[in-house]
Amino acid sequence: YDTLKKVLAGEASTDRITGIQQELADISGHMLHFMENHDEQRIASSGFAGDARKGKPAMVVSATIDGGPVMVYFGQEVGEPAAGDAGFGSATRTTIFDYWGVPHHVRWMNDGAFDGGQLTPEEKELREFYRRLLNFTLGSKALTGEYREIHTYNRHHTEWYNDRVFSFARWKGDERLIVVVNFDASEAFGFELQLPADLVAGWGLDDGSYTLTDQMNTGTPVIRVLRVDHGNARVRIDIDPLGSLILSVGT
């Protein structure tokens, strides 16, 4: 959490993620993953990111990087900013006391209909992002399997790949995933993402072309093809500001 918060705020490089994940590798499956809770500032609050959308890439990393449990704090999925005055402290956290209110969450409740009828279009889009991400994680066996960061390899070998982007691979059985996120809120990036040769060999990818399907896409499908030539694999990635890609590798 602490590392992702600093990366999200632009105070740290994505290079930091590889180190902390390696340090926690032996206990990662037992650690609770979260981007908000009652002790921490809301992503949308002025004391954190000031915009709930900025939490998207961090949430994708948090939910898919290992097999640990994932928590979404109530109202996070609709951008609750905790902007009200609780009578003490700073207005950046949702208090645990029952006199407090969570206006964004209340709008989703919609006078007892619980259908999001009073949400703004932006809040509905954010909730759909969380719904799609969390439902995917529930059914993906790759997210219960192996992990390999490919960020460091691409930092050293891929032009235009940079420290506002992060990438890694997850796999189990015949399900293979490539996850790429962009933490930058204003810049889109394009580059030829590469897979290390030992990962290509471990996945048993023969020379040829493999279609990648983005599990987070809700619009017009974008055709991405992983091309393997003499054991070298690469795919063109164009990723929007705050964009996230969970790419499943076809056969």
Side-chain angles (χ1 to χ4, degrees):
Y1 167 80
D2 291 334
T3 299
L4 287 175
K5 183 176 182 179
K6 289 180 179 179
V7 173
L8 191 160
E11 298 172 358
S13 161
T14 52
D15 297 344
R16 293 272 296 274
I17 300 174
T18 60
I20 192 66
Q21 185 65 18
Q22 188 173 29
E23 289 176 18
L24 300 174
D26 60 333
I27 59 171
S28 61
H30 303 284
M31 296 191 68
L32 177 65
H33 292 237
F34 59 85
M35 290 307 301
E36 289 186 358
N37 64 39
H38 70 278
D39 286 322
E40 304 295 347
Q41 295 171 310
R42 292 283 194 173
I43 296 169
S45 73
S46 59
F48 192 163
D51 184 341
R53 295 172 298 178
K54 292 183 178 180
K56 286 182 174 183
M59 193 64 211
V60 169
V61 172
S62 185
T64 62
I65 199 167
D66 60 41
V70 178
M71 180 183 75
V72 174
Y73 192 48
F74 77 119
Q76 175 183 340
E77 74 284 2
V78 290
E80 175 60 43
D85 182 7
F88 59 90
S90 60
T92 60
R93 296 173 175 83
T94 295
T95 179
I96 62 175
F97 298 111
D98 60 7
Y99 63 78
W100 187 250
V102 278
H104 289 224
H105 181 64
V106 169
R107 288 204 294 275
W108 174 79
M109 292 172 63
N110 192 23
D111 296 321
F114 301 97
D115 61 0
Q118 297 182 39
L119 294 176
T120 67
E122 292 77 14
E123 291 162 356
K124 289 179 180 178
E125 186 279 330
L126 183 65
R127 191 174 190 278
E128 172 60 19
F129 164 83
Y130 276 90
R131 185 198 67 79
R132 193 172 183 87
L133 172 63
L134 296 177
N135 282 338
F136 173 74
T137 64
L138 288 174
S140 172
K141 64 182 179 183
L143 297 182
T144 67
E146 301 298 320
Y147 162 82
R148 167 73 181 272
E149 64 95 355
I150 56 176
H151 172 78
T152 303
Y153 184 86
N154 281 278
R155 286 280 279 150
H156 291 154
H157 297 94
T158 301
E159 188 177 15
W160 307 117
Y161 187 96
N162 60 74
D163 71 348
R164 296 301 290 157
V165 176
F166 189 68
S167 59
F168 56 93
R170 300 296 312 275
W171 70 96
K172 185 176 184 179
D174 60 356
E175 185 181 13
R176 298 161 296 194
L177 302 175
I178 300 170
V179 181
V180 188
V181 300
N182 177 10
F183 282 89
D184 200 282
S186 58
E187 294 289 333
F189 300 114
F191 45 82
E192 295 283 330
L193 186 76
Q194 301 181 65
L195 302 185
D198 61 326
L199 179 60
V200 175
W203 279 3
L205 298 179
D206 296 326
D207 285 3
S209 299
Y210 300 82
T211 300
L212 304 183
T213 303
D214 182 13
Q215 302 300 319
M216 293 300 293
N217 181 56
T218 57
T220 303
V222 176
I223 303 301
R224 296 181 179 87
V225 178
L226 179 70
R227 303 188 188 281
V228 182
D229 182 20
H230 293 89
N232 298 310
R234 62 181 63 214
V235 57
R236 174 68 188 184
I237 296 294
D238 292 288
I239 189 165
D240 293 333
L242 303 177
S244 302
L245 304 172
I246 302 178
L247 304 172
S248 60
V249 181
T251 56

